[in-house]
Amino acid sequence: MSLKNIMIENVSPGIRVVRISRPKALNALNMETLDELKAVAEDAAGDPGVRIVVLTGDGDKAFVAGADISEMKDMDEARAQAFAWKGHEAMCALEEMPKPVIAAVNGYALGGGCELACACDFIIASDRAVFGQPETGLGIIPGFGGQVRLARFIGYPKARELIYSGRRLKADEALAMGLANSVFPAAELMSRVLELARQISQQSRGAVAAAKKLMNGFCEPGGTKVKLETEARIFSRLFSGRDQKEGMAAFAEKRRPAFDGLDA
Ligand code: CAA
């Protein structure tokens, strides 16, 4: 598997660290990275030498700063739907693999980055982590499962607040809300996550896989895939409106968007 945007390291027996690496775009997820992420998840799922995956971002500034806005900017509805599906495929591959995936969030986890963290089994954050779903400020909604998975961590009222407002959360608030399981000083993040990964990797592989499968099924009794399909349809429809064009042009031009309030 040749990878341009992801680095893989087997750090100790059974533990694979997967590092998203597009430093110039703060590790934003473009189509190519989503394809690579899906392949990496499938490879880890099928590799008997891997018992647990740690997912993180390259550098100390970002876990993942979202879906790639420069790639999304000029998308039409059909392309936006295909993009949402690529995101769903990659994130479902992580979610469904019979091995735990820990998100080690070391900086910005915004938009698709927060959604990616929520597709992992749980989140361990550094004290420099910043979470949020800023999509409504770009004229769109979260498109990689935000409406489906964020509420599993923090409940619907808090998920609504974050998605409607686009407000960012620092690590301590994410911890208090239950989005992050623990927060550690940035310099200690990886050693703490690896310590926990080692502990999990010594448990029964089959028992951990069974627990993961059951808990995934129990927290989404209505069926994750049906909900993701609906989300992808509504997400992509917003690409036919003016607010998406204005929101993303404004990001590229580093100014505030002027929404007309008419698009729905
Ligand atoms: N997509 C593409 N490029 C991005 C990006 C993204 N999501 N986030 C940051 N970048 C790029 C910036 O454009 C910038 O590139 P240039 O140097 O070429 O201008 C570079 O990364 C560094 O970013 P900043 O200069 O903005 O860094 P900063 O420290 O001032 O701000 C930040 C950091 C707060 C994370 C800011 O970059 C930001 O707000 N990024 C966008 C976050 C966002 O809106 N994410 C949601 C995307 S939509 C989505 O994810 C939809 C979905 O669910 C499918």
Side-chain angles (χ1 to χ4, degrees):
M1 185 178 17
S2 116
L3 299 171
K4 279 172 41 191
N5 308 293
I6 294 182
M7 299 185 293
I8 304 256
E9 197 187 350
N10 293 319
V11 289
S12 55
I15 305 176
R16 177 166 292 176
V17 175
V18 171
R19 206 177 289 277
I20 299 181
S21 179
R22 296 188 68 221
K24 286 189 184 139
L26 300 186
N27 305 329
L29 301 171
N30 58 1
M31 294 258 194
E32 189 177 60
T33 308
L34 291 169
D35 280 338
E36 290 183 11
L37 195 54
K38 180 175 177 231
V40 162
E42 288 171 351
D43 183 66
D47 185 335
V50 176
R51 301 194 60 157
I52 184 161
V53 171
V54 173
L55 180 66
T56 194
D58 193 17
D60 56 6
K61 195 165 172 188
F63 173 72
V64 165
D68 191 313
I69 300 170
S70 57
E71 197 172 78
M72 274 187 298
K73 201 159 109 10
D74 300 317
M75 283 181 185
D76 60 13
E77 189 169 334
R79 217 164 148 63
Q81 184 142 13
F83 187 54
W85 265 112
K86 261 196 199 305
H88 289 331
E89 280 172 6
M91 290 177 204
C92 287
L94 290 166
E95 186 173 62
E96 288 164 10
M97 80 161 72
K99 300 169 185 183
V101 183
I102 304 178
V105 174
N106 50 329
Y108 289 110
L110 298 176
C114 188
E115 293 169 288
L116 177 61
C118 289
C120 299
D121 290 79
F122 53 85
I123 298 168
I124 309 286
S126 94
D127 54 0
R128 298 179 51 182
V130 177
F131 296 86
Q133 296 290 166
E135 287 89 345
T136 51
L138 293 165
I140 58 167
I141 58 171
F144 292 162
Q147 281 75 214
V148 181
R149 297 192 183 95
L150 183 60
R152 288 180 192 166
F153 283 72
I154 60 174
Y156 274 98
K158 291 284 184 200
R160 286 191 187 101
E161 179 197 329
L162 294 190
I163 291 174
Y164 299 171
S165 69
R167 182 167 85 76
R168 290 188 204 153
L169 301 181
K170 291 198 173 146
D172 53 351
E173 201 184 348
L175 178 67
M177 243 185 223
L179 183 55
N181 278 18
S182 333
V183 174
F184 295 108
E188 282 175 33
L189 176 69
M190 278 317 268
S191 62
R192 295 298 200 120
V193 170
L194 292 176
E195 193 181 306
L196 179 58
R198 246 171 245 123
Q199 195 179 342
I200 294 172
S201 71
Q202 284 157 15
Q203 305 298 105
S204 152
R205 181 193 295 249
V208 171
K212 173 167 180 167
K213 189 166 186 202
L214 280 177
M215 281 189 277
N216 278 352
F218 291 156
C219 58
E220 209 53 62
T224 301
K225 288 273 162 60
V226 175
K227 291 176 186 176
L228 293 176
E229 252 173 54
T230 311
E231 184 186 272
R233 199 172 59 248
I234 306 296
F235 169 80
S236 55
R237 195 180 295 160
L238 291 166
F239 283 72
S240 298
R242 179 189 170 276
D243 279 1
Q244 177 269 328
K245 308 277 172 291
E246 168 59 12
M248 294 192 185
F251 178 78
E253 291 158 23
K254 302 190 190 287
R255 60 172 173 82
R256 289 183 73 82
F259 293 131
D260 63 14
L262 297 176
D263 288 332

